[in-house]
Amino acid sequence: MLSTRLLRKGPHCLVSSNPSTPAALHRRRLATLTDLSGLPKPGETLHGFIPSRTKHVPELQLTAFHFIHKTTGAEYLHLARDDKNNVFSISFKTNPPDYTGVPHVLEHITLCGSKKYPVRDPFFKMLPRSLANFMNAFTSTDYTTYPFATTNGKDFNNLMSVFLDATLHPLLNKSDFDQEGWRIGLENPLAVADGAIDGSDGKLVFKGVVYNEMKGQMSDASYLFQTRFQDHFFPDIHSHAGDPPKMTSLRYSHLKHFHARHYHPSNAKLFTYGDIPVAHHLMEFNQEFDQFRYQGFDRRIRTPINLRDGPFNVVVDGPVDPLVAKDMQHKTSITWSMGDNANILESFSLSVMISLLLDGYGSPLHRNLIETGIGPDWTPNTGYDSAGRFGTFSVGLCGVKKKDIPEFQAAVRSTLYEVHRSGFDKGKVDGLLHQLELALKHKTANFGMGLMMRLLPGWFNGVDPFDALAWDDTVAAFKHAFAKGGYLEGLLKQYLLNDQTLYFTMQPSETYGERLAANETKRLAHKISLLSEEVGGGFEARKHLIARELELVEVQDATRSQDLSCLPRVHIEDIPRKMENKQVRDSLLGDIKVQWREADTNGLTYFRAIDTFEGLPSDLRMVIPLFNDAIMRLGTKQKTIEEIEDLIKLKTGGISVSYCVTTSPTDLRRATEGLLFTGSALDKNIPDMYEILRMILQETNFDGAEVRSRIHELLRTEASGALNAIANSGNSYALRYAERNLMPQGLLNEQSSGLTQIQYYTTLARRSASEGMDDIISKLKAIQQFAISNSTSLRTALTCGPEAASSNEAALQTFLSGLSSSKSIPKSHADLSPDDFSAKTFISFPYQVYYSALALPTVPYVHPDSAPLQILSQLLTHKHLHHEIREKGGAYGGGAYAHGVSGTFGFYSYRDPNPENTIKIMQDAGRWAQMKEWSDQDIEEAKISVFQEIDAPQSVSEEGMTRFLANIDQEMEQEKREQLLDVEIKDVQEVAHKYLVEGMGKANLAILGEKKEWINEQEGWHMKNMQIIETSEDVSEAAA
C-alpha cells in the first residue's frame, strides 16, 4: 500500500569511465537536456515564463524545472530526461460544487470540438491520426487532467495543440451536452429515424454517455461503497464523477459557467517529461496563454470531516450480491485521519507502517481479520490514501455478517495495540526498502506517465513536487529515524491508538435496486411533467423530446461527412517499414531450451519459464487458478507463509505463477496450455530467487492442519469480489464467453479465467461442512506433481546484462537439476462436460447497464488475411461503431477487435443502455464495411491506429517476450508488419465480405445484464443464471 509504488517504473543510470561506451554517450545526451546555460536566471523571463527552481535528481536520472507564467500565474513543471517517450498534461483545479458530476461531464465535452479545431469530437478523431501510446482524460476528486504520451516529436506538437485548444477554447455545444451529459429521449430513436415506428409508443428514458457510465459504475458495489464512504468522510468533494439521481439536475448553463470559472491558465498546472527541450514547450505554452490575464479562482484545498469528536458511526444501504451468502453481505470499515502530506518524510513513513500492518498473508491485520474468518476480503477504501493534503487510513472487510461487525472493530483495535506493544520487525522493513530499491532499478517504458500520476494529486493539494521527487533523501531520512528505535511505533500511537474514527457500514437491502429504478421513474415523470407545462401538455412534450432526439441524431450523422482537414496528423511515412530488432539468442541446458535477451537491465535479471501440459483434464484445469493462489498462501512444513513472503521481499522483485494458453501462429486448432513462472531479482540474488520458487512449487504443504480453512479463505475472497470484477470488466467476460467454442483456446480461457471459472469458485466457496474440500485438495496435490519438470515440456527465458549471463546460466542449471525429469498428468474420470454451446447466451446480472460481445473465427497469425482483418477492426471502431454505439446509442464504449494470435474477430459494447440495437449494428457491420467507399486516408489512419500498439515503447523486461510466449519470431513479426503496411481498400472489403458477412453464421453472442422481454428462448437465446445466493448455514465450517 506504499504511496510511492509508482516509482517501480524508475530506471537507473549506468555509469562507466570509458568515454566510448553507450553510458558515456548517455551522460553527454543527458547533459544537453539539463544544460542550464540557455535558461534565464531567477527573475528573468523566457517566452513569458519565469524560472522558479531547478533540481537535479540523480536517482531518477532527471532534472526538474519549475516555471511560473508571468501574465497568468500558470505553474509549469518539466522533467528533463533522456527518454523519447515524451509526456504532456494540462490540469485544472476542479473542486466539485455538487453531486451533478459537472467536472466529469465537462471533461467529456471539452474534447468535443474547439475554436481552432471546430469538428465534432476531435479527441476521438485524433486517435487514428496519432502514434500516441497513451491519450486520455481523467476527472479526479478535486482536479481534472488531460494527458498523452508519444515517441514522435511531430505527433507531440499535434496533440499538444489539440489538447490546449480543447481545454482553453472548447465550443461546448448544447448537442454535445445532450449526448455526453444527459437528456430525455426515446430508448431506441434509430427505429423512428429509420421509419420502423412513429415514436408514439416508444419508451422515453434518461440518456447520456456519462450518465450511463456512472450507472455502470454504481452497479459495481465496491465503487458504490467507496463513493458513499467519501460522501460521509469527505463531503466537500461531493461525488466528483456524478451520482445518477443527482446528475439530471445539471443544467447546460451551469456547465458553461463551471468551465469559465475553472479552465483558465491561472488555474492550470502544466507538466511535461522527456527529451524535447524545455524551451520549445515554453514557447508553445506562451503563444496559447498570451491572450489571457491573471484571474483568481477557487483553489481551496478541501479536507475531510474533523474526527476529533469521534467516534462517528454511519450506516447506509447497498445492493445484495447474488454470488455471496445472504447473511454475509455487510461491508464495514474504520477510518482515521493522518498527518499533513506536505511532510514527505512522515507521509512516506506512514505508508511503510501501513504496508507492514496490511500487506501480505503474514501481516497482522490479515492474520487477525481475514484468516480468522471475520470477512473474506478488504473493502475498497482499505489502505493509506495520500492523494489529498492530509492522509487517511482505512481498514475494512467485505462479506461480514452483521453480528460480527463488533468483533471486527474489536479485532482491529486489539491488533493495533499488540503491534504497538511488540514493535515492527526490522527484517520486514528491510524487505520493503529492498522492493523500493528494485523499483528504482526497473526500467519501464511509461516512467514519465507514472511520475505524472504520482505527483499531480499532491501538487494540487499543496505538496511540493520537488520534495516528492527527492527519493534518496526521503529514504535516507527514514532509515535514520527508524534506526533510533520506536519511530514507527510512535507514529502508530500518535495516529491510530485513539477513538477519533469513522465507522462506516454498508448493509444489504433487498429493495435497493427497486428503489433506484423507482427513483429514476419518478425523476423522469417529473421532468416530463415540467416540460408538459412549458409546451402545453404531455403529447406536445413527447413530440418535443422526440424531435430533439431526432435533431441530435441528425447532428451525429452529419459528422460522418465532416471535413477533418483542420486536424493535424502523422502519416504512414512516419512508421518505419523495418521493425526495431531486439537481438535474442537460444541455448540448451540439457534438454531445456533457453532464450536469452542480453541488454542493459541495471543489474537486474528477469526470469520466465513455461511448462506445457498435454491432455490436461478440464476438472484439473478449473483448479489451476486455485493452485496458483494456494502455493502463495499455505507455506511449507519448514516455513510459514509469512517467512516465505519476507524472503521474497528481501531477495527478489517478486515471484508469480499463472496459467497461460496460446494458439499456434500457423494452426488455430492447436492450442498450448501450461504454467508460466516469472521472477526478478538483483543479479547477485538470482540463486535465492530460484530456491524460493523451487520451495513453493515442490514443498507447499497440502496436508497441514490449516489447509482446509485457508483454501476456503481463498475461495471466499475470490467469490466476494467476483460480482464487482465482472461489473468493472463486463465486456471482457462477455468476450471470453462468446469465444469459448470458436477455437480450442477459447474454451481454455473461459474455464481458467471466465464466467465459468467464477461460477466454479463461488460454488466451491458455498460448500457445506459435510461436502468438505478433500476432493479439491487431492486435485491440488496432483497438480503439484506435474507443475514443473526438467523435461522437454519446459522452456525458459532470461533477460539480463551481458556481464551476468554466465552466472545466470550456472544458477539456472542448479535450479533445473533440482527438478524431476519425469512428468505424468493423471487422466480424470470426472472430467467436466462442456458448457452449453448456444450461439446466443444471456447471462443475468443485477446491473443497470449491459455488456455485450459478438465473436467469430477467422485465420491464424501468419495467414495473409490476418493483416486486413486488423485494419478492418480499426476502421469499424473509428468510422462506424464509436459513432453508432457510443455517440448515438449512449454506451460508454464500443468497438471491434481482431486478435491476430488467437484468430478471432469480434465486437463489444461497454456500459450499454441499449444492447438490442447494438447487436443489430454488430451483425450488420460487415455489410456496412463491404459497401463503404473507403478512402486512402481512411486506410492510412487505420494503419496508424494498429501501429500505436505495435510500436509502443517496451520495458526491457518485455523485450523478446512475443517470441517466447506466443512462438511468434521476429521474421513472422516483420512479415506481418509489411502486410499491415501494404493493406489496400480491396483487401479490407474482401475480408469484410468473407468473414463478417458470409461468416456471420459462425458467430457467438453473449450479453451480461438484467433480463428484458426481448431476451427469450423463442428468439434463440439460452439463459444462464450466475446467481448462487443462500444463507451461510453449514458453509463456513466446510474447512473443518
Side-chain angles (χ1 to χ4, degrees):
M1 304 279 175
L2 287 177
S3 61
T4 48
R5 59 188 178 277
L6 285 174
L7 281 178
R8 290 182 181 278
K9 300 176 180 179
H12 178 79
C13 178
L14 176 66
V15 178
S16 169
S17 59
N18 186 342
S20 64
T21 63
L25 295 174
H26 176 80
R27 290 199 304 276
R28 290 200 294 270
R29 168 70 172 150
L30 183 62
T32 63
L33 292 173
T34 60
D35 183 11
L36 306 182
S37 61
L39 295 177
K41 302 294 185 292
E44 298 178 353
T45 303
L46 177 64
H47 300 304
F49 282 84
I50 302 171
S52 171
R53 292 173 296 165
T54 302
K55 181 181 181 68
H56 184 57
V57 188
E59 62 268 32
L60 302 181
Q61 203 175 12
L62 59 81
T63 297
F65 300 86
H66 184 249
F67 298 89
I68 303 293
H69 189 244
K70 186 175 182 179
T71 305
T72 66
E75 284 192 85
Y76 171 36
L77 177 65
H78 174 69
L79 305 182
R81 192 167 180 271
D82 188 10
D83 187 343
K84 65 180 182 179
N85 196 22
N86 287 270
V87 176
F88 162 91
S89 75
I90 183 169
S91 308
F92 304 91
K93 184 75 169 176
T94 51
N95 288 326
D98 50 39
Y99 288 86
T100 62
V102 59
H104 187 192
V105 176
L106 181 60
E107 172 224 308
H108 280 239
I109 297 176
T110 53
L111 300 172
C112 288
S114 65
K115 182 179 178 181
K116 188 175 180 181
Y117 304 106
V119 301
R120 202 157 193 276
D121 216 353
F123 177 80
F124 282 99
K125 298 293 192 304
M126 283 300 295
L127 288 175
R129 303 167 74 91
S130 164
L131 288 170
N133 53 77
F134 186 92
M135 189 187 340
N136 213 327
F138 303 118
T139 304
S140 299
T141 52
D142 56 357
Y143 70 93
T144 304
T145 188
Y146 299 81
F148 68 80
T150 180
T151 60
N152 184 287
K154 176 183 176 183
D155 195 31
F156 186 95
N157 292 335
N158 291 347
L159 291 172
M160 185 164 66
S161 176
V162 170
F163 274 52
L164 288 172
D165 202 61
T167 53
L168 299 175
H169 307 287
L171 298 179
L172 301 182
N173 292 319
K174 178 62 165 62
S175 60
D176 294 322
F177 175 82
D178 293 340
Q179 172 185 292
E180 298 294 317
W182 74 273
R183 67 189 186 278
I184 299 172
L186 285 171
E187 189 172 32
N188 186 4
L190 301 184
V192 180
D194 295 339
I197 62 175
D198 63 7
S200 60
D201 297 324
K203 182 180 179 182
L204 291 173
V205 296
F206 283 122
K207 309 178 76 171
V209 172
V210 179
Y211 184 78
N212 286 318
E213 175 191 354
M214 296 316 300
K215 284 181 71 174
Q217 282 281 48
M218 293 299 187
S219 295
D220 179 342
S222 289
Y223 182 89
L224 181 65
F225 179 91
Q226 178 73 27
T227 298
R228 294 294 176 253
F229 162 74
Q230 285 197 324
D231 288 347
H232 290 85
F233 179 62
F234 213 149
D236 276 357
I237 60 171
H238 303 98
S239 180
H240 63 283
D243 194 349
K246 308 289 179 58
M247 291 178 70
T248 51
S249 298
L250 177 61
R251 296 173 178 266
Y252 174 54
S253 58
H254 183 189
L255 178 123
K256 294 180 70 174
H257 176 74
F258 190 84
H259 178 271
R261 293 296 303 147
H262 293 82
Y263 279 49
H264 186 282
S266 299
N267 194 41
K269 295 187 187 298
L270 294 156
F271 174 93
T272 57
Y273 161 94
D275 63 1
I276 298 176
V278 67
H280 169 271
H281 300 323
L282 292 171
M283 182 171 60
E284 294 293 326
F285 296 150
N286 189 52
Q287 289 177 0
E288 291 289 341
F289 293 175
D290 194 44
Q291 60 190 288
F292 293 91
R293 293 297 177 264
Y294 179 81
Q295 290 185 21
F297 289 92
D298 176 15
R299 300 189 189 89
R300 286 176 297 164
I301 296 172
R302 305 293 176 91
T303 57
I305 62 173
N306 193 328
L307 297 179
R308 288 178 184 171
D309 297 327
F312 300 101
N313 188 57
V314 175
V315 180
V316 300
D317 286 350
V320 172
D321 187 336
L323 302 184
V324 176
K326 281 187 177 181
D327 60 345
M328 298 176 64
Q329 297 273 344
H330 285 75
K331 301 176 178 68
T332 187
S333 67
I334 309 175
T335 298
W336 292 262
S337 291
M338 309 294 275
D340 187 340
N341 285 320
N343 184 335
I344 298 296
L345 170 60
E346 184 177 88
S347 181
F348 172 77
S349 303
L350 288 170
S351 71
V352 170
M353 179 188 79
I354 290 166
S355 290
L356 295 169
L357 290 171
L358 273 175
D359 287 357
Y361 293 116
S363 65
L365 286 171
H366 186 283
R367 199 166 51 237
N368 293 337
L369 298 178
I370 293 180
E371 193 172 309
T372 57
I374 300 175
D377 201 4
W378 304 117
T379 51
N381 62 340
T382 295
Y384 178 52
D385 184 356
S386 60
R389 179 56 186 258
F390 296 95
T392 62
F393 170 55
S394 299
V395 58
L397 290 177
C398 300
V400 180
K401 297 179 182 179
K402 183 177 181 178
K403 68 180 181 63
D404 290 340
I405 292 176
E407 181 184 351
F408 156 75
Q409 296 169 352
V412 171
R413 295 200 172 280
S414 64
T415 300
L416 296 178
Y417 276 97
E418 172 58 26
V419 171
H420 179 260
R421 185 191 64 78
S422 59
F424 290 95
D425 181 77
K426 182 179 183 301
K428 295 183 185 296
V429 174
D430 290 342
L432 277 177
L433 295 179
H434 178 252
Q435 294 297 299
L436 296 174
E437 177 191 357
L438 296 188
L440 285 173
K441 286 180 170 290
H442 175 56
K443 290 193 168 186
T444 185
N446 55 351
F447 178 63
M449 190 60 67
L451 277 179
M452 183 209 77
M453 298 292 286
R454 191 173 73 85
L455 294 174
L456 276 179
W459 194 10
F460 272 105
N461 284 281
V463 178
D464 189 335
F466 275 44
D467 291 343
L469 286 169
W471 184 243
D472 278 358
D473 293 345
T474 301
V475 174
F478 169 78
K479 289 180 177 178
H480 178 73
F482 182 75
K484 294 180 179 178
Y487 175 56
L488 292 180
E489 293 81 0
L491 290 176
L492 191 152
K493 180 179 180 180
Q494 178 182 351
Y495 288 111
L496 301 182
L497 299 188
N498 58 65
D499 288 326
Q500 297 172 10
T501 56
L502 171 68
Y503 295 104
F504 182 79
T505 299
M506 180 173 281
Q507 63 185 5
S509 170
E510 295 280 1
T511 63
Y512 182 82
E514 295 174 11
R515 282 185 282 138
L516 270 185
N519 175 277
E520 186 171 60
T521 300
K522 183 178 179 180
R523 280 186 291 116
L524 181 65
H526 179 66
K527 293 286 185 184
I528 295 175
S529 174
L530 292 176
L531 180 61
S532 298
E533 293 176 7
E534 289 181 23
V535 299
F539 179 76
E540 292 300 321
R542 185 178 186 84
K543 279 179 57 179
H544 174 84
L545 291 169
I546 292 173
R548 195 174 71 174
E549 186 77 3
L550 295 180
E551 287 172 6
L552 178 59
V553 171
E554 288 182 12
V555 171
Q556 292 165 335
D557 283 337
T559 63
R560 287 187 178 275
S561 57
Q562 201 170 24
D563 180 9
L564 304 180
S565 59
C566 65
L567 288 176
R569 56 190 290 241
V570 294
H571 297 275
I572 201 70
E573 292 79 18
D574 295 311
I575 301 173
R577 191 167 181 85
K578 185 171 178 57
M579 65 182 290
E580 185 179 359
N581 186 20
K582 304 292 186 181
Q583 193 65 43
V584 297
R585 64 179 176 87
D586 296 312
S587 70
L588 282 174
L589 282 178
D591 293 328
I592 307 301
K593 295 179 181 178
V594 184
Q595 174 183 294
W596 295 86
R597 168 63 180 148
E598 292 168 280
D600 177 13
T601 60
N602 227 4
L604 292 172
T605 290
Y606 301 92
F607 165 79
R608 290 176 180 84
I610 294 177
D611 204 338
T612 57
F613 306 146
E614 292 288 339
L616 182 69
S618 58
D619 67 324
L620 290 183
R621 181 179 305 112
M622 298 282 284
V623 181
I624 280 182
L626 180 58
F627 172 81
N628 297 337
D629 291 337
I631 60 176
M632 304 301 293
R633 175 67 186 99
L634 299 181
T636 69
K637 291 181 179 179
Q638 286 75 37
K639 290 187 182 296
T640 66
I641 192 60
E642 182 176 359
E643 291 171 326
I644 293 172
E645 285 179 334
D646 289 345
L647 275 176
I648 291 173
K649 290 176 181 176
L650 278 169
K651 296 295 184 179
T652 80
I655 289 174
S656 69
V657 182
S658 59
Y659 175 82
C660 66
V661 57
T662 186
T663 294
S664 165
T666 60
D667 185 356
L668 296 181
R669 296 165 298 180
R670 288 170 45 209
T672 304
E673 63 179 326
L675 284 180
L676 170 65
F677 312 94
T678 65
S680 64
L682 294 170
D683 293 338
K684 65 179 182 180
N685 290 333
I686 283 298
D688 296 304
M689 183 200 73
Y690 283 132
E691 174 55 23
I692 296 169
L693 181 60
R694 185 205 63 76
M695 178 174 56
I696 64 173
L697 287 170
Q698 295 186 338
E699 297 181 10
T700 291
N701 182 15
F702 288 101
D703 293 314
E706 297 179 330
V707 166
R708 285 163 179 77
S709 64
R710 291 184 176 176
I711 293 294
H712 196 252
E713 172 198 314
L714 291 171
L715 292 168
R716 288 178 63 208
T717 299
E718 287 296 319
S720 173
L723 189 69
N724 300 328
I726 298 168
N728 195 47
S729 304
N731 56 313
S732 297
Y733 284 99
L735 282 172
R736 283 194 202 98
Y737 201 82
E739 292 178 351
R740 72 197 186 286
N741 67 328
L742 298 181
M743 305 291 176
Q745 180 177 339
L747 179 60
L748 305 185
N749 278 333
E750 174 60 22
Q751 290 185 343
S752 60
S753 59
L755 294 173
T756 303
Q757 171 67 204
I758 285 179
Q759 193 163 29
Y760 183 66
Y761 256 62
T762 53
T763 301
L764 292 179
R766 304 295 310 119
R767 279 195 174 184
S768 65
S770 59
E771 292 174 295
M773 289 287 170
D774 289 350
D775 60 326
I776 301 302
I777 293 172
S778 176
K779 291 175 182 178
L780 294 173
K781 289 180 179 179
I783 295 171
Q784 186 179 34
Q785 297 306 308
F786 62 78
I788 190 168
S789 62
N790 186 358
S791 66
T792 55
S793 64
L794 181 70
R795 67 180 189 272
T796 66
L798 285 164
T799 301
C800 63
E803 72 283 354
S806 59
S807 59
N808 262 295
E809 186 171 56
L812 178 58
Q813 180 67 70
T814 301
F815 172 65
L816 294 174
S817 66
L819 304 179
S820 171
S821 59
S822 62
K823 178 186 218 173
S824 177
I825 297 177
K827 301 298 180 184
S828 174
H829 297 293
D831 204 8
L832 300 178
S833 59
D835 196 358
D836 179 87
F837 283 153
S838 171
K840 296 166 67 175
T841 305
F842 184 88
I843 304 105
S844 179
F845 282 102
Y847 301 146
Q848 300 179 59
V849 287
Y850 294 82
Y851 306 86
S852 58
L854 183 151
L856 42 82
T858 57
V859 294
Y861 180 86
V862 298
H863 194 284
D865 285 350
S866 179
L869 282 166
Q870 281 187 263
I871 301 301
L872 174 61
S873 71
Q874 295 301 310
L875 286 167
L876 285 171
T877 296
H878 296 292
K879 303 298 183 181
H880 183 52
L881 299 173
H882 173 80
H883 175 74
E884 294 292 332
I885 297 174
R886 188 181 192 275
E887 291 184 350
K888 293 168 70 174
Y892 184 47
Y897 69 92
H899 288 163
V901 178
S902 65
T904 54
F905 191 101
F907 307 87
Y908 64 91
S909 71
Y910 182 71
R911 292 178 181 164
D912 186 352
N914 193 4
E916 184 180 15
N917 193 63
T918 295
I919 292 169
K920 295 174 184 176
I921 294 167
M922 292 174 175
Q923 292 173 329
D924 195 53
R927 192 172 291 104
W928 183 89
Q930 182 186 356
M931 302 302 295
K932 169 73 174 175
E933 293 184 6
W934 299 107
S935 68
D936 290 337
Q937 182 171 324
D938 291 334
I939 302 298
E940 178 172 316
E941 289 179 0
K943 293 176 181 178
I944 289 169
S945 294
V946 170
F947 278 93
Q948 286 174 356
E949 181 177 353
I950 292 175
D951 286 351
Q954 277 190 320
S955 302
V956 65
S957 59
E958 297 301 316
E959 294 172 356
M961 284 301 103
T962 300
R963 181 179 188 263
F964 177 71
L965 297 173
N967 292 308
I968 296 173
D969 59 32
Q970 291 191 357
E971 290 74 20
M972 291 179 184
E973 286 192 272
Q974 179 60 38
E975 184 177 6
K976 172 61 73 66
R977 185 183 189 89
E978 294 172 8
Q979 290 172 343
L980 287 166
L981 290 170
D982 294 339
V983 168
E984 299 178 356
I985 294 174
K986 65 178 180 62
D987 301 324
V988 169
Q989 292 172 326
E990 287 174 2
V991 295
H993 175 74
K994 183 175 181 180
Y995 299 102
L996 304 192
V997 178
E998 292 184 341
M1000 188 55 68
K1002 301 176 183 178
N1004 285 344
L1005 269 169
I1007 300 179
L1008 280 59
E1010 191 174 37
K1011 188 177 180 298
K1012 291 292 183 80
E1013 290 182 2
W1014 57 272
I1015 300 289
N1016 56 68
E1017 293 181 359
Q1018 289 73 28
E1019 295 295 327
W1021 287 96
H1022 167 69
M1023 261 63 74
K1024 181 179 177 65
N1025 187 5
M1026 291 285 292
Q1027 184 165 313
I1028 317 175
I1029 189 163
E1030 53 193 76
T1031 65
S1032 65
E1033 294 175 7
D1034 300 323
V1035 173
S1036 298
E1037 301 306 319

